[in-house]
Amino acid sequence: MVKKRIGSTLFLLCVFVVLYLPIFYLMFYSFNKAGNMTHFTGFTFDWYKEVFSDKRLIAIVVDTVIVALLSSLLSTVLGVFGALAIYLTKGRHYKNMLLSLNNILMVSPDVIIGASFLILFTLLGIKLGFISVLLAHIAFSVPIVVLMVLPKLQEMSPTLIDAARDLGAKRLDVLLKVVIPFITPGIFAGFFMALTYSLDDFAVTFFVTGNGFSTLSVEIYSRARQGISMSVNALSTLIFLITLAIVLVYYFSTRGMGKVKQLSGGEDA
């Protein structure tokens, strides 16, 4: 047992090194005064100052945040109703079919999804830009929210709904006062997952952006193609830190909610 634990710990450590070492390497050289990734000659914040002084880049950051927030909010609403529809479906075969259809966007390659949206928007006459990016982000975020909310619904005891109905609660009251409070952790999880996916997405966004509209991921790609610049490193570092902050906020918020539930359960007992 001890050897197995040591082996699993070493394997997990190797995985984390492979995943995070390139990121930390990039972050380290974002402070390099020399402006390259070969020799570190001194510590500087000049590349970060260059990022914040770029008005076009600031506008792209604002657009990216707006798209991420709007798509996350709308996909969370749609995802909650989608999870409820799957949960309330009676037949097992129909429920499995709906769940499989929901998972198609999760398992399909991003290139195929992006190309499909490009063809769809072209056929519908939707101009590529803010609206096309927003619709695409909502579409691939909804399945994520469904997968976050559905397990919480399955954990909920049907007797809660039956008890509420026996006490005279209407369907809307059951939804707002019984179901939604119970699945709130799943809703928060879905929202934050959709937010991080939207902020980080490149492949789908690359296909559906246009008319002068761009997001951070697409902008970083276009700048990186022009040559290695430490401003790209600085921008990538900021995106990583923002994403990390979102994950930490979600972690501590769900942890706090769990402690509140434990305390309330102890008081009730």
Side-chain angles (χ1 to χ4, degrees), residues 72-84:
S72 300
L73 288 172
L74 294 174
S75 62
T76 299
V77 175
L78 294 174
V80 168
F81 283 104
L84 286 170

Side-chain angles (χ1 to χ4, degrees), residues 7 77 81 94 108 145 148 162 221 228:
V77 175
F81 283 104
Y94 291 110
S108 299
V145 178
M148 295 291 106
D162 295 335
Y221 172 75
I228 297 176

Side-chain angles (χ1 to χ4, degrees), residues 2 20 26 29 33 35 38 64 73 80-81 105 124 132 150 159 162 171 173 194 203 210-211 215 217 246 255 258 264:
V2 176
Y20 285 97
L26 177 147
Y29 277 99
K33 191 174 183 179
T38 55
T64 303
L73 288 172
V80 168
F81 283 104
L105 286 176
L124 295 178
S132 62
L150 193 57
T159 57
D162 295 335
R171 291 185 177 181
D173 293 328
N211 293 329
T215 62
S217 57
I246 293 173
R255 187 179 179 184
S264 62

Side-chain angles (χ1 to χ4, degrees), residues 49-68:
K49 293 178 182 177
E50 182 178 322
V51 169
F52 286 106
S53 63
D54 191 335
K55 294 182 179 180
R56 180 178 180 274
L57 187 58
I58 297 299
I60 291 174
V61 171
V62 173
D63 290 338
T64 303
V65 173
I66 292 174
V67 169

Side-chain angles (χ1 to χ4, degrees), residues 185 251-265:
Y251 171 75
F252 286 110
S253 62
T254 52
R255 187 179 179 184
M257 291 175 63
K259 289 184 178 179
V260 169
K261 285 186 176 181
Q262 289 179 357
L263 292 174
S264 62

Side-chain angles (χ1 to χ4, degrees), residues 141-161:
S141 296
V142 168
I144 301 169
V145 178
V146 171
L147 290 181
M148 295 291 106
V149 174
L150 193 57
K152 298 300 296 182
L153 286 171
Q154 293 171 344
E155 291 177 7
M156 184 176 61
S157 175
T159 57
L160 291 175
I161 298 177

